[in-house]
Amino acid sequence: MGILEDWFFKVLQFVFMILVGSMLFEHYRSTRKIYDLGWAISFGIIIGRQLMCILALGGIIYFDYQKVNFFYPVLDQALLLLFYLFLVYTFYLERLKREARLVQLGAATVAALIFLIFLMTSYWRPFAINQVPYTRFWGNIFFSVIHLSLVIAVLIFLYLRERGFFRTWRQVPFYLFSIGHSIYLLDMVSSRGRVSLKLFAGFLFFLGYLIFAISVIGYRVQFKLIMLLIAVISLPTLLTVPLLSAEFKNSLINLGYQVFPIEEINQVIFSLKKVLYLISGMGILVASSLGYLLSGKGTSALRSLALGADKIGEGDLTTRVGIERKDEIGGISKEFDKMAKSLEDKTAEVVNKQRQVVQLERISSIGKLAGGVAHEVNNPLTGVLGCSQLGKEMIKDMKKNYPDKRLQKQLDILAGYLDTAEAGTLRCKDVTSSLLKFSRQMDPGKSETANINDIIERTLLLTQIQPAFRHIGIEKRFDSNLPKLMVNVSQISQVFLELLLNAVHSMPEGGTLTIITSREGQLMVIKFSDTGSAISKEEHDRIFTPFYTTQEAGSGRGLGLAISYGIIAAHNGNMDIESKEGQGTTISIKLPLKENERKSA
Amino acid sequence: MNGNQLKILIISPNEFLRDFFTVFLTREGYKVSSSGEVREALKSVEREEFNLIFLESGLPRLNGKTVVGKIKEIKDIPVLLIVAGGIDYRTMMSLQEGAADYIEVPADIEEIRDKIQKNLKDKEGKYV
């Protein structure tokens, strides 16, 4: 194989590598992952190597062939090894932590650059040429051995790292590279220069680079582009193969012999070859860069879609593709943006809900704290209030028994002190009881299965002790076959208590309270009907709003019905109020059987 | 009531409550015992005769029963609940298991007197 063909072949590879390398770099720009930069840099090295070779061969062709003949393979092989090492190194980078990757990649790149500069400077030093102790043959043997042993070392490293021969696709290019190189080196050592072998090795390289790029970038968006690349690369390569083959040359020469003298023919062929190589090289460059640009246009929309999907996957929900096109891609991107927007909105909603839950939890823990404090304060307060009152009683007795005027005066003052203490304590009692009330409203409690009739019975027990109930007749009409419900017993009994007290307070002159439990389809209905004063229409609308009360201020009620309404709503139930003058008031609670039952299952 | 003093037991882990009720009830002329520990208190219920028991509401259940239920298992003595933490479900359970009434403290001494009068049983089991 002649040096010109070799050069041409290198140019071909170079173009291909530029394409693959730029794809890898583009890939890095979209992912911003540091080991993707590692892949790109390693390809940068091989591109640099290829450029060196092209320049060197160019130098050999146009200047002194023999002078650079030895150093060309040195440079060639050394850069190739650097490429190998960098690839393997990038494999290793993937397994490191982010910060370590950055530092290591930086260090390795600097080392590689220094190595490159070193190689270049040593290569261009003219005096080094005279010091070469080898013939071309032994030089080739020498590099082949070093090169092959390093390739084998890399393969062993990969085998150990991946714990097998075919664990990842990224191993495959290395096999292709090593086979290709072995063929190449064999050919070099035998010094035969067979074009077909070199081409075969070259195709193995192409394939290796290709699989490598695919395995790094992935199949998704770049597939079309890669197919285009194969077409762009293989077409001119195949076209030039017959040009390079000896038979073709011979037939051309034989044909020419009959027309022109041999020297002329040789001259013509040589210049023809030059022109042909130039044209096809330019053609490849133009075609591939054009193809790359065009395919980039075709896929850039898809790529930004894929990128958008990636970004959303990583949690950036503000991502929008924003492609304004009238074709299917435009439609997809519009749908994509719509989807992203709804995802963003829904997420915001969820976050909001979560915030509410947290808020509720906070309030609930404040409630618990308030309840605990109130309880703790009430204990000593009992003694303060009781003893103040006891003291006052004692003073009364003493005033009766000791008529001494000065003592009487002193006792009056003392009684005044105790009055102050008592009033203060009563104020404290107000505070603690409102704290307890607040605490109970905020207590989410536990849900358990319970019989609603039982809860009402218990609540009744509590209220019947109160003197206000003395003149109230209570009529219970309970459906004894009601299923058990999953409810927050503590909260539900608060609701019943509230309704009972409301009913009793609306009947100060006495009356009847009727409590009915029943089942209506999938609902459990609980009704509290009193025969007391009716609620006016105005009150009717406001009765479920917080702090509204029909009772006078200071009786401690008002929050009750609104809270009760909230509790029932939290059980997916409903609360209704019906009131007519002369017929009293009926409050009915409806709780869904199914949902609350299912919860218990 | 001298000579034939009525006996009241106070059960509360809280010192303030025990102290006050002891002072108050003693002054009212009752013979008062107090206990801060439920199991110990139940033992003395078994051993001694009481006419009334003051029990702090909201104590944890014993084997699924409220303390009231436990007392009622031993003897039928009227139990008054002292409620310091507001009426809750446990108070309701205690009432269901036989507590006679409850007093929300801090309470007026008149109210306490009233509730004692209503619920106190003499040695023959009749309300005084």
Side-chain angles (χ1 to χ4, degrees):
Chain A
M1 184 151 157
I3 197 100
L4 200 63
E5 284 95 334
D6 206 8
W7 183 78
F8 175 68
F9 202 67
K10 293 272 183 229
V11 172
L12 254 182
Q13 275 196 328
F14 178 68
V15 171
F16 185 80
M17 281 170 186
I18 291 246
L19 289 170
V20 173
S22 61
M23 269 160 64
L24 283 170
F25 188 69
E26 192 69 15
H27 176 65
Y28 159 70
R29 286 214 313 177
S30 65
T31 63
R32 292 276 160 200
K33 279 175 183 151
I34 208 76
Y35 43 82
D36 280 325
L37 182 62
W39 299 126
I41 290 177
S42 57
F43 240 81
I45 292 172
I46 194 88
I47 289 167
R49 172 242 181 189
Q50 207 69 13
L51 191 64
M52 287 300 112
C53 293
I54 289 164
L55 288 177
L57 284 179
I60 292 164
I61 291 164
Y62 287 102
F63 303 107
D64 192 340
Y65 184 89
Q66 289 303 321
K67 272 187 187 170
V68 285
N69 202 19
F70 173 73
F71 271 92
Y72 154 59
V74 176
L75 189 73
D76 190 18
Q77 301 306 311
L79 282 173
L80 206 59
L81 286 170
L82 194 66
F83 164 66
Y84 271 127
L85 290 175
F86 219 94
L87 277 186
V88 171
Y89 175 74
T90 309
F91 262 113
Y92 158 75
L93 265 188
E94 273 191 18
R95 300 220 162 163
L96 290 181
K97 285 204 167 162
R98 200 185 158 80
E99 296 76 23
R101 271 187 214 138
L102 209 70
V103 172
Q104 292 221 359
L105 185 73
T109 311
V110 168
L113 282 174
I114 290 170
F115 188 57
L116 269 174
I117 291 165
F118 167 76
L119 283 174
M120 282 173 69
T121 48
S122 66
Y123 166 65
W124 290 114
R125 242 181 282 152
F127 62 85
I129 298 159
N130 304 325
Q131 293 169 356
V132 181
Y134 312 109
T135 62
R136 192 184 171 189
F137 175 76
W138 285 109
N140 284 344
I141 293 282
F142 174 70
F143 287 115
S144 302
V145 169
I146 293 181
H147 181 83
L148 273 177
S149 53
L150 272 162
V151 165
I152 288 164
V154 166
L155 288 179
I156 289 172
F157 175 88
L158 277 177
Y159 173 76
L160 290 176
R161 185 193 175 276
E162 301 294 326
R163 296 193 186 85
F165 283 111
F166 284 106
R167 296 301 285 262
T168 61
W169 266 97
R170 282 179 212 176
Q171 277 171 287
V172 177
F174 288 91
Y175 299 133
L176 290 171
F177 293 154
S178 27
I179 296 168
H181 267 126
S182 309
I183 294 169
Y184 199 81
L185 291 167
L186 261 169
D187 185 60
M188 203 159 87
V189 170
S190 66
S191 301
R192 291 257 185 89
R194 270 173 296 203
V195 176
S196 51
L197 261 183
K198 260 205 159 164
L199 276 177
F200 180 60
F203 274 113
L204 284 184
F205 279 117
F206 284 155
L207 208 61
Y209 295 142
L210 205 65
I211 293 174
F212 176 72
I214 293 170
S215 71
V216 169
I217 300 167
Y219 296 92
R220 291 173 316 195
V221 185
Q222 275 73 13
F223 193 70
K224 250 190 186 170
L225 182 65
I226 288 161
M227 294 312 283
L228 204 84
L229 271 179
I230 295 170
V232 165
I233 291 302
S234 53
L235 206 71
T237 313
L238 288 173
L239 275 175
T240 46
V241 168
L243 200 77
L244 294 165
S245 73
E247 295 88 58
F248 179 78
K249 269 192 269 181
N250 287 339
S251 63
L252 202 70
I253 289 163
N254 287 335
L255 187 80
Y257 265 179
Q258 293 160 11
V259 189
F260 300 105
I262 185 96
E263 287 78 20
E264 267 181 60
I265 289 168
N266 274 346
Q267 249 183 340
V268 168
I269 286 173
F270 190 71
S271 55
L272 192 70
K273 256 188 183 172
K274 265 191 182 172
V275 171
L276 267 175
Y277 285 142
L278 199 70
I279 287 170
S280 67
M282 290 288 280
I284 289 164
L285 264 172
V286 170
S288 49
S289 41
L290 230 122
Y292 181 69
L293 281 175
L294 284 173
S295 68
K297 258 207 175 135
T299 54
S300 74
L302 282 175
R303 196 179 317 162
S304 47
L305 264 175
L307 264 178
D310 269 357
K311 275 196 182 152
I312 283 177
E314 281 164 13
D316 180 10
L317 298 178
T318 55
T319 309
R320 300 286 182 275
V321 182
I323 300 165
E324 296 283 335
R325 269 161 66 153
K326 283 187 177 164
D327 57 3
E328 290 89 338
I329 290 176
I332 290 169
S333 101
K334 206 181 252 173
E335 285 305 308
F336 182 92
D337 284 355
K338 236 191 248 170
M339 182 194 76
K341 188 177 184 315
S342 90
L343 198 62
E344 196 187 354
D345 293 350
K346 283 270 148 55
T347 310
E349 205 175 291
V350 168
V351 168
N352 206 17
K353 277 264 161 62
Q354 201 180 3
R355 213 170 282 154
Q356 280 176 8
V357 168
V358 169
Q359 184 72 13
L360 264 179
E361 265 170 19
R362 197 177 298 154
I363 288 173
S364 138
S365 57
I366 292 171
K368 262 182 209 154
L369 183 72
V373 168
H375 193 156
E376 281 309 310
V377 172
N378 270 350
N379 288 332
L381 221 50
T382 308
V384 181
L385 182 66
C387 289
S388 306
Q389 289 174 346
L390 274 178
K392 272 165 67 184
E393 280 182 7
M394 272 180 85
I395 288 169
K396 244 183 223 166
D397 288 349
M398 281 169 81
K399 276 178 87 175
K400 252 186 242 161
N401 296 336
Y402 305 98
D404 178 69
K405 265 196 176 171
R406 265 166 51 202
L407 185 65
Q408 290 271 334
K409 215 174 181 185
Q410 294 286 322
L411 286 173
D412 278 341
I413 293 168
L414 194 55
Y417 291 166
L418 288 175
D419 272 339
T420 311
E422 191 190 1
T425 318
L426 287 173
R427 173 78 194 110
C428 287
K429 189 187 163 185
D430 278 351
V431 172
T432 54
S433 66
S434 34
L435 275 179
L436 283 167
K437 202 165 211 174
F438 168 75
S439 144
R440 208 149 330 110
Q441 284 149 13
M442 297 311 157
D443 179 20
K446 282 189 300 195
S447 285
E448 49 190 301
T449 40
N451 188 323
I452 293 290
N453 294 345
D454 284 354
I455 300 177
I456 297 175
E457 288 279 11
R458 274 172 209 159
T459 319
L460 275 171
L461 268 175
L462 190 76
T463 45
Q464 275 169 329
I465 299 163
Q466 298 208 357
F469 273 77
R470 250 167 236 158
H471 312 292
I472 308 272
I474 290 177
E475 202 186 320
K476 291 177 274 187
R477 275 186 257 158
F478 290 168
D479 179 349
S480 53
N481 292 324
L482 284 177
K484 284 190 172 184
L485 281 191
M486 187 80 178
V487 289
N488 186 323
V489 176
S490 164
Q491 283 185 349
I492 290 285
S493 42
Q494 286 297 322
V495 172
F496 293 157
L497 186 63
E498 191 64 41
L499 296 186
L500 281 171
L501 292 177
N502 259 293
V504 170
H505 282 284
S506 76
M507 301 185 279
E509 310 295 318
T512 312
L513 171 64
T514 313
I515 306 168
I516 307 167
T517 60
S518 60
R519 188 181 172 155
E520 284 176 21
Q522 283 307 310
L523 290 172
M524 183 182 283
V525 183
I526 306 138
K527 280 184 181 165
F528 289 78
S529 308
D530 63 50
T531 55
S533 53
I535 299 165
S536 74
K537 228 178 159 143
E538 268 179 19
E539 289 168 339
H540 194 287
D541 295 335
R542 287 185 295 162
I543 200 143
F544 288 135
T545 51
F547 300 108
Y548 177 74
T549 178
T550 54
Q551 283 117 38
E552 67 226 63
S555 68
R557 260 159 246 300
L559 207 52
L561 274 180
I563 294 290
S564 302
Y565 188 76
I567 291 171
I568 296 301
H571 284 78
N572 299 315
N574 195 14
M575 203 160 142
D576 260 331
I577 190 157
E578 228 179 288
S579 195
K580 262 185 199 164
E581 198 56 62
Q583 288 177 8
T585 305
T586 299
I587 294 183
S588 40
I589 295 170
K590 284 176 185 156
L591 290 171
L593 284 176
K594 238 188 178 163
E595 271 176 61
N596 292 303
E597 266 180 324
R598 199 184 300 144
K599 274 189 217 159
S600 68
Chain B
M1 285 178 206
N2 21 332
N4 199 15
Q5 257 185 325
L6 293 166
K7 277 171 79 180
I8 296 180
L9 174 65
I10 302 158
I11 308 173
S12 165
N14 190 281
E15 217 183 313
F16 287 114
L17 290 179
R18 280 206 311 273
D19 283 355
F20 169 68
F21 277 93
T22 308
V23 165
F24 174 65
L25 295 171
T26 310
R27 193 183 130 76
E28 295 292 298
Y30 302 107
K31 193 162 183 278
V32 182
S33 315
S34 74
S35 174
E37 216 277 319
V38 175
R39 280 169 210 281
E40 187 196 300
L42 287 175
K43 266 180 210 156
S44 52
V45 169
E46 238 168 275
R47 239 181 4 246
E48 298 169 50
E49 290 295 326
F50 293 103
N51 302 84
L52 181 71
I53 294 174
F54 272 91
L55 170 69
E56 187 183 338
S57 175
L59 296 179
R61 287 191 214 184
L62 294 168
N63 307 326
K65 277 211 160 177
T66 61
V67 181
V68 178
K70 283 280 167 190
I71 293 170
K72 292 285 167 183
E73 269 179 11
I74 303 167
K75 269 168 203 168
D76 187 24
I77 303 170
V79 178
L80 277 178
L81 298 169
I82 307 170
V83 180
I87 300 157
D88 57 7
Y89 199 62
R90 273 196 264 193
T91 314
M92 293 184 201
M93 293 290 289
S94 301
L95 285 167
Q96 200 186 26
E97 290 189 17
D101 204 343
Y102 65 94
I103 302 167
E104 276 190 272
V105 292
D108 287 336
I109 49 176
E110 274 307 320
E111 189 191 339
I112 305 173
R113 275 188 195 125
D114 196 44
K115 301 235 163 159
I116 296 171
Q117 279 308 312
K118 256 186 239 152
N119 294 294
L120 196 61
K121 272 183 179 174
D122 65 13
K123 277 176 185 167
E124 283 76 44
K126 286 176 192 153
Y127 285 100
V128 175

